[in-house]
Amino acid sequence: MLERETERLIVRKFTKDDWKDLYDYLSIPEVVKYEPYDVFTKNDCIEEAKSRAYEQRDMFWAVCFKKSRKMIGHVYFAQLEPDELKTWTIGYVFNPKYYGNGYATEACKSILQYGFKVKNAHRIVAGVCAENKPSWKLLERLSMRKEAHFIKNIFFEKTSEGKPIWNDAYRYAMLSTEYDG
Ligand SMILES: CC(C)(COP(=O)(O)OP(=O)(O)OC[C@H]1O[C@@H](n2cnc3c(N)ncnc32)[C@H](O)[C@@H]1OP(=O)(O)O)[C@@H](O)C(=O)NCCC(=O)NCCS
């Protein structure tokens, strides 16, 4: 299934031409603050869009406006090993121009439905930095259950002496039996 439709959005597989829309948001430091990578250059985005269109095709979904087809963010959805646990992880990054309208919620709901109804997932999980309130609020809007609070287990920055600045993290989850979509 290459394309999913929601009320306002198309959630589809990446094409190599998506690099420009990807650059619009992956080049912004605040957007990648809690991601395991730094800001992307234009060239990085050209390579990344190609990779998401081919090698990483299964894992990334581009989220676009239904009318203009502008890509406004993406959802990451990948199966964790071993396969027999039937567990997927979900992640998301959106263009800040479009925050505050429920687009991320709408796109992630569609991917949860894909996970439970099409992929037959037993469990879908998400990890989030405790400081990243917009992200854990999104997980709560999706009715995911907070099941762990890890103390100072991750860092996204280092001090000038090169020491990690530790952060707490939460894990959220939803079981197929909890899904009511
Ligand atoms: C995480 C992220 C996607 C959340 O974006 P967002 O705009 O807050 O999320 P949504 O698109 O679901 O919009 C929800 C907001 O719109 C409001 N809203 C308006 N219309 C809405 C609707 N129809 N449905 C749901 N919410 C709606 C909600 O009340 C909420 O606003 P609030 O936070 O002021 O209460 C965004 O902050 C982001 O991309 N951050 C950078 C990347 C990142 O950190 N990713 C996560 C790493 S773990």
Side-chain angles (χ1 to χ4, degrees), residues 97-119:
K97 263 192 204 160
Y98 309 103
Y99 290 173
N101 293 291
Y103 296 129
T105 305
E106 195 169 316
C108 288
K109 272 187 187 166
S110 173
I111 296 301
L112 289 183
Q113 186 188 49
Y114 169 76
F116 287 122
K117 300 293 180 195
V118 179
K119 303 304 279 184

Side-chain angles (χ1 to χ4, degrees), residues 98-181:
Y98 309 103
Y99 290 173
N101 293 291
Y103 296 129
T105 305
E106 195 169 316
C108 288
K109 272 187 187 166
S110 173
I111 296 301
L112 289 183
Q113 186 188 49
Y114 169 76
F116 287 122
K117 300 293 180 195
V118 179
K119 303 304 279 184
N120 199 23
H122 162 63
R123 183 172 141 82
I124 296 176
V125 299
V128 55
C129 178
E131 268 187 1
N132 193 355
K133 192 172 175 187
S135 180
W136 57 253
K137 274 178 71 181
L138 165 57
L139 296 170
E140 296 195 349
R141 272 194 303 278
L142 294 169
S143 304
M144 290 184 74
R145 171 175 41 75
K146 187 175 173 184
E147 66 176 16
H149 180 158
F150 299 106
I151 310 297
K152 295 194 187 304
N153 71 329
I154 45 164
F155 68 90
F156 300 93
E157 283 173 288
K158 290 184 176 174
T159 63
S160 49
E161 295 90 50
K163 290 191 180 151
I165 301 174
W166 294 106
N167 274 295
D168 289 7
Y170 303 143
R171 189 177 55 219
Y172 282 76
M174 185 184 278
L175 295 170
S176 57
T177 48
E178 294 168 319
Y179 178 67
D180 65 359

Side-chain angles (χ1 to χ4, degrees), residues 51-65:
S51 168
R52 292 183 186 192
Y54 303 107
E55 297 91 341
Q56 303 191 85
R57 192 166 181 78
D58 284 351
M59 291 180 269
F60 285 96
W61 293 84
V63 179
C64 311
F65 284 135

